[in-house]
Structures are given as structure tokens and as C-alpha cells.
Amino acid sequence: MNKKEHWENVFKTKTLNEVSWYEPIPETSLSFFKESNISKSAKIIDIGGGDSFLVDHLLKLGYTDITVLDISEAALERAKLRLKGNADNIKWIVADAANFLPPENYDFWHDRAAFHFLTDEQSISNYVKTVQKHLKKNGNLVIGTFSENGPKKCSGLDIKQYSESTMTNQFMGYFNKIKCIRIDHKTPFDTNQSFVFCWFRKK
């Protein structure tokens, strides 16, 4: 089973709260949007957004230009069904974050738990170059991954753990680090997953 087939299968066979990343209110992610104080018309992209509730909350906060990308069409279809008429206000892209070619440039690039699935150097390099090219000057980049104290696998797949320093080293060429924070995410199975979230600004 290739990567796309794997994720299509996950979203076709598991319900919302049967996956470890389920988060009805993505408080950590939302805190970065609020702190960045970006315009409500800013171009936002959520990488690996799947059927995450982030888009629901961004709409409620008044953001008007939101793109959600995921490798799984099934995940995006679930989000569209949940959003009903509001789904028409979102740009939906089915693509692999490792080789995605953005159709536009963004003010805010958000990624919670997609980047850490890129484990080979070519995929990581492609991703970093894409962000560098398609995030506007002074644009915000927020990435959340498993920390070095977090899981080594997720959904049966290997992941790459990051610390504040290894994350910063990946992006330091074109970005200034604003801050990194550690978060313990409580899963629906009553376990904790250690994340590191880093916020960068494009030079």
C-alpha cells in the first residue's frame, strides 16, 4: 500500500475520535493565529489539514482566504460534509505535502503533524524549498511535530522527531525563529503525545 492508499484507508475506516490527532478545539494552533495578528483577508494554508477542526475555527474568527491541503481525498470530503455550505468558502487541494506545487503564495503556512511524516532527505528538502518559495515576505510559518520525547510512529508509519534546535536548523536559512513551545496533546485514548511547535517568520 502506498502512502496515498494508506491515508485514504485511514479516513475511510476510522471515525473522527478513533485517530490520535483528534482535537475538537485546536487551541495551540489558534493561539499562533491570534498572536500573529494577521489580517482576516490573509492567505492561509493548512498543510495536512485533513478533517481537522482548525478550518471551522478560522472561519468563525472571520478569516476569509483559507486553503486546506491533504493527501487524502476522503479526509477532505469528511471536512466538506461537516462544514456544509461553508465548504464552498474554502479552497481544497488533494496533494502530497512532499511534492506539492502551490498555486499561489501565502501569508500564513500552518502544519500540525504533517511535516514529521517526511522522513527522507529529498522529501524534507522539497518541502522546505516549497515553503521558502511560496511564503510571502514576513509571512508566518507554524509547524508542529512530535518532539524527541514523542512517538516514533503514527498511524503505523515512521515519523521524524524534532527538537527546537533541529527544527530551527531546517528553516534557519530563510526564516527567523519567533518561538518554539512544547505541548502535550491528549489523545482520545487518554494518552499524551509530546509535540514541539515552532513559529518562524520569513526574512
Side-chain angles (χ1 to χ4, degrees):
M1 190 182 293
N2 67 28
K3 188 163 51 168
K4 180 169 174 58
E5 290 169 339
H6 172 87
W7 288 113
E8 295 293 9
N9 183 61
V10 166
F11 285 101
K12 285 175 181 174
T13 59
K14 293 183 183 291
T15 61
L16 260 178
N17 58 359
E18 287 180 328
V19 294
S20 64
W21 53 88
Y22 174 63
E23 196 178 36
I25 303 175
E27 291 176 359
T28 302
S29 295
L30 290 168
S31 71
F32 288 105
F33 282 92
K34 290 171 183 173
E35 200 173 336
S36 72
N37 201 30
I38 60 167
S39 160
K40 295 298 193 242
S41 61
K43 288 187 177 295
I44 296 166
I45 186 164
D46 186 19
I47 300 292
D51 60 353
S52 152
F53 283 80
L54 178 63
V55 63
D56 307 57
H57 291 278
L58 292 176
L59 284 170
K60 284 178 189 172
L61 288 168
Y63 293 102
T64 58
D65 195 333
I66 306 166
T67 299
V68 180
L69 173 142
D70 203 273
I71 194 172
S72 167
E73 190 167 2
L76 298 183
E77 288 303 320
R78 280 176 23 170
K80 289 177 190 177
L81 281 172
R82 187 183 71 238
L83 287 166
K84 298 179 182 172
N86 281 330
D88 296 335
N89 299 320
I90 305 300
K91 300 167 191 171
W92 305 96
I93 297 177
V94 179
D96 184 345
N99 50 34
F100 161 54
L101 296 173
E104 55 188 336
N105 296 332
Y106 301 97
D107 299 293
F108 200 116
W109 182 292
H110 172 268
D111 177 336
R112 174 182 177 260
F115 185 60
H116 64 204
F117 282 106
L118 307 183
T119 55
D120 65 277
E121 288 307 316
Q122 186 62 56
S123 295
I124 294 167
S125 175
N126 285 348
Y127 183 106
V128 173
K129 286 176 182 173
T130 300
V131 181
Q132 289 168 359
K133 187 174 179 183
H134 291 281
L135 193 64
K136 296 178 185 177
K137 185 180 177 182
N138 297 319
N140 296 279
L141 167 64
V142 171
I143 296 193
T145 68
F146 288 149
S147 78
E148 67 270 54
N149 298 319
K152 293 180 178 172
K153 281 181 173 282
C154 182
S155 188
L157 300 177
D158 291 331
I159 63 93
K160 184 175 175 67
Q161 297 174 325
Y162 285 89
S163 64
E164 177 173 348
S165 60
T166 56
M167 180 75 82
T168 303
N169 287 341
Q170 283 289 358
F171 293 95
M172 64 189 297
Y174 292 84
F175 296 88
N176 292 315
K177 180 177 71 181
I178 297 174
K179 68 175 182 179
C180 293
I181 58 174
R182 293 292 190 94
I183 295 291
D184 280 336
H185 164 63
K186 192 168 187 178
T187 73
F189 324 121
D190 214 26
T191 58
N192 285 321
Q193 295 177 333
S194 176
F195 274 79
V196 57
F197 275 80
C198 285
W199 176 16
F200 303 94
R201 187 159 283 144
K202 176 88 173 283
K203 291 179 181 176

